[in-house]
């Protein structure tokens, strides 16, 4: 069981460096870069003027809003706190923690008070650039814009709710029998098939075809006992009942008939 850190069990950061870009207008950004020991705490934090974003490059963050249960997140996620929202952040492991202060809300985080959010690989790279003394004056606005555009809220399953893959996945959940191809969906969303395939890998950790199969079989499992195997296969997009039964068995370790008999 992962230890829950508190102000009494976490140390102060070992080092804090400040990188300010365009402070004053809403388009500016203040970056803090911390170096931590085995643990580090940032205390009970609230800022009534600036939004805050936390990201840990190679360790873990324990994050929570006031009164919420703590959650551990890794380098593939960031933590967002709207201005005037109390929150707690702790770090575990000797690592680098980045903290951004913003006056503008990233487009993908509108209406979020505090939450774990999706952060793209490009956005992570821009955080590192913005927390560097070597970034040129003319380069930081573009880096900030790319960071802002790489942040998105998560759906109930913890996936990026605004990615093209999430939009396609929602369509497949609503109609698992759809036989539309990856290329069909790519054309609809004005991206290349290769880009959509990469988006599925980034968002869900699997390919489009694997996601479609999983979605169809999840829908089928809910129908077991209420319809015949042939009818269930048809309703979830399998024209061959034998192929459906084989796929169901690979997914769940038993046939639909056996699952129905034990339900």
């Amino acid at each position: 069981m992962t230890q829950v850190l508190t102000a009494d069990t976490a140390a102060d950061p070992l080092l804090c460096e400040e990188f300010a870009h365009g402070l004053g207008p809403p388009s500016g950004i203040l970056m803090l870069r911390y170096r931590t020991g085995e643990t580090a705490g940032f205390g009970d934090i609230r800022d009534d003027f600036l939004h805050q974003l936390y990201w840990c490059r190679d360790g873990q963050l324990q994050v929570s809003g006031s009164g919420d249960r703590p959650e551990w997140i890794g380098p593939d996620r960031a933590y967002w706190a709207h201005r005037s929202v109390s929150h707690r952040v702790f770090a575990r492991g000797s690592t680098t923690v980045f903290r951004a202060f913003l006056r503008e809300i990233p487009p993908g985080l509108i209406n979020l008070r505090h939450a774990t959010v999706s952060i793209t690989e490009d956005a992570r790279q821009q955080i590192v650039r913005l927390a560097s003394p070597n970034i040129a004056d003319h380069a930081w606005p573009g880096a900030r814009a790319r960071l802002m555009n790489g942040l998105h809220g998560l759906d109930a399953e913890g996936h990026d709710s605004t990615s093209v893959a999430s939009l396609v996945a929602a369509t497949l959940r609503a109609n698992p029998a759809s036989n539309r191809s990856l290329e069909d969906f790519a054309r609809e969303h004005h991206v290349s098939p290769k880009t959509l395939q990469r988006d599925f890998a980034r968002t869900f950790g699997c390919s489009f075809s694997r996601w479609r199969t999983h979605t169809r079989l999840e829908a089928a499992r809910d129908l077991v006992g209420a319809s015949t195997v042939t009818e269930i296969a048809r309703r979830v997009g399998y024209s061959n009942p034998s192929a459906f039964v084989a796929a169901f068995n690979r997914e769940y370790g038993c046939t639909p008939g056996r699952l129905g008999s034990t339900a």
Side-chain angles (χ1 to χ4, degrees), residues 15-92:
L15 177 69
C16 177
E17 298 172 279
E18 178 181 308
F19 305 88
H21 307 287
L23 296 186
S27 57
I29 184 172
L30 171 64
M31 294 290 306
L32 298 183
R33 183 176 67 189
Y34 299 93
R35 191 66 197 173
T36 70
E38 287 303 308
T39 63
F42 301 90
D44 289 317
I45 303 165
R46 172 177 170 177
D47 192 307
D48 290 340
F49 301 99
L50 297 168
H51 313 293
Q52 298 183 57
L53 179 79
Y54 299 82
W55 175 64
C56 181
R57 181 164 60 187
D58 46 14
Q60 288 187 309
L61 293 180
Q62 176 190 297
V63 298
S64 63
S66 180
D68 291 343
R69 185 176 181 178
E71 174 187 3
W72 286 99
I73 61 174
D76 61 336
R77 295 286 185 259
Y79 182 70
W80 165 258
H82 194 281
R83 64 165 62 99
S84 76
V85 174
S86 296
H87 56 282
R88 301 183 184 92
V89 178
F90 297 91
R92 183 177 65 183

Side-chain angles (χ1 to χ4, degrees), residues 209-219 251-252:
S209 61
R210 178 69 188 97
W211 178 261
R212 184 206 291 275
T213 297
H214 175 72
T215 300
R216 285 177 168 176
L217 295 176
E218 273 198 330
E251 186 81 3
Y252 298 116

Side-chain angles (χ1 to χ4, degrees), residues 17-255:
E17 298 172 279
E18 178 181 308
F19 305 88
H21 307 287
L23 296 186
S27 57
I29 184 172
L30 171 64
M31 294 290 306
L32 298 183
R33 183 176 67 189
Y34 299 93
R35 191 66 197 173
T36 70
E38 287 303 308
T39 63
F42 301 90
D44 289 317
I45 303 165
R46 172 177 170 177
D47 192 307
D48 290 340
F49 301 99
L50 297 168
H51 313 293
Q52 298 183 57
L53 179 79
Y54 299 82
W55 175 64
C56 181
R57 181 164 60 187
D58 46 14
Q60 288 187 309
L61 293 180
Q62 176 190 297
V63 298
S64 63
S66 180
D68 291 343
R69 185 176 181 178
E71 174 187 3
W72 286 99
I73 61 174
D76 61 336
R77 295 286 185 259
Y79 182 70
W80 165 258
H82 194 281
R83 64 165 62 99
S84 76
V85 174
S86 296
H87 56 282
R88 301 183 184 92
V89 178
F90 297 91
R92 183 177 65 183
S94 181
T95 185
T96 303
V97 176
F98 298 87
R99 183 177 174 189
F101 293 84
L102 299 159
R103 290 181 60 192
E104 294 182 328
I105 301 175
L109 306 184
I110 298 295
N111 299 324
L112 281 181
R113 287 180 55 76
H114 66 89
T116 298
V117 299
S118 168
I119 179 168
T120 65
E121 176 61 30
D122 180 64
R124 296 173 218 163
Q125 293 174 5
Q126 303 317 311
I127 285 180
V128 175
R129 287 184 68 200
L130 289 162
S132 167
N134 300 320
I135 188 169
D137 288 343
H138 69 273
W140 73 260
R144 176 188 178 277
R146 289 164 65 180
L147 165 60
M148 299 283 278
N149 290 329
L151 299 166
H152 303 286
L154 301 174
D155 62 19
E157 296 177 342
H159 302 129
D160 182 345
S161 62
T162 61
S163 72
V164 175
S166 289
L167 300 177
V168 173
T171 301
L172 293 176
R173 288 193 195 98
N175 182 18
S178 170
N179 62 2
R180 296 172 65 192
S181 67
L182 174 75
E183 291 74 19
D184 292 335
F185 284 114
R187 280 193 296 271
E188 177 184 341
H189 292 280
H190 308 290
V191 297
S192 71
K194 186 175 292 186
T195 295
L196 181 54
Q197 190 72 272
R198 284 199 299 264
D199 205 27
F200 262 90
R202 179 181 67 84
T203 304
F204 299 110
C206 65
S207 67
F208 166 82
S209 61
R210 178 69 188 97
W211 178 261
R212 184 206 291 275
T213 297
H214 175 72
T215 300
R216 285 177 168 176
L217 295 176
E218 273 198 330
R221 186 174 57 178
D222 292 339
L223 296 171
V224 169
S227 299
T228 65
V229 168
T230 300
E231 176 62 16
I232 294 172
R234 184 192 65 80
R235 289 177 64 177
V236 300
Y238 284 86
S239 58
N240 185 327
S242 296
F244 161 65
V245 171
F248 193 97
N249 191 40
R250 285 193 298 270
E251 186 81 3
Y252 298 116
C254 66
T255 65

